[in-house]
């Protein structure tokens, strides 16, 4: 699990450092990247717990539904935590180290929400 988080955070930070995304599209682009990393948590859990076919499907679906429901709340918390360090009205306009911390924080929140959703479903199994 630690490797998934490290690879996802390093990958999104490298993507951000290339400047491939315009500041107006930052929220959508990084949200989609974070959502693309979430199924890795479900796949890892299904692999390690040796789930059947239905277990794999449930894990992948739950690892996507969890971030869709809870990551926006976590993203708002990350923005509230970093708001004292912003120079302008948005994180994308501020840029610099604050934006790097925001991008990494949003990826962490997304993966954590996928893991928590799987933990909740595993309590019911």
């Amino acid at each position: 699990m630690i490797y998934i988080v490290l690879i996802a955070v390093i990958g999104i930070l490298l993507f951000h450092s290339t400047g491939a995304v315009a500041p107006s599209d930052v929220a959508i682009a990084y949200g989609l990247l974070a959502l693309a990393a979430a199924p890795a948590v479900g796949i890892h859990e299904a692999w390690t717990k040796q789930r059947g076919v239905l277990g794999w499907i449930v894990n992948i679906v739950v690892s996507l539904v969890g971030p869709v429901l809870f990551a926006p709340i976590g993203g708002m918390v990350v923005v509230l935590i970093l708001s004292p360090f912003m120079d302008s009205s948005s994180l994308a306009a501020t840029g610099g180290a604050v934006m790097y911390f925001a991008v990494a924080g949003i990826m962490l929140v997304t993966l954590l929400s996928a893991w928590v959703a799987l933990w909740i479903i595993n309590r019911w199994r």
Side-chain angles (χ1 to χ4, degrees):
M1 181 69 175
I2 301 281
Y3 294 120
I4 294 171
V5 172
L6 286 174
I7 290 169
V9 169
I10 290 170
I12 201 165
L13 289 176
L14 286 174
F15 185 76
H16 176 69
S17 68
T18 62
V21 179
S24 61
D25 299 332
V26 165
I28 293 171
Y30 294 142
L32 289 175
L33 283 173
L35 229 88
V41 176
I43 291 169
H44 175 266
E45 200 270 342
W47 182 274
T48 56
K49 302 284 185 178
Q50 298 178 347
R51 304 274 185 217
V53 175
L54 184 60
W56 278 73
I57 294 169
V58 168
N59 276 7
I60 292 171
V61 169
V62 167
S63 68
L64 284 171
V65 169
V68 167
L69 295 177
F70 299 114
I73 298 167
M76 285 187 276
V77 170
V78 168
V79 170
L80 286 175
I81 290 171
L82 294 175
S83 63
F85 305 106
M86 293 182 354
D87 293 336
S88 59
S89 62
S90 72
L91 283 170
T94 300
V98 176
M99 186 62 184
Y100 281 100
F101 280 112
V103 168
I106 289 170
M107 181 61 83
L108 289 172
V109 165
T110 302
L111 294 178
L112 181 65
S113 62
W115 180 76
V116 167
L118 284 170
W119 180 77
I120 290 169
I121 291 298
N122 284 336
R123 300 288 292 166
W124 290 346
R125 289 185 183 176

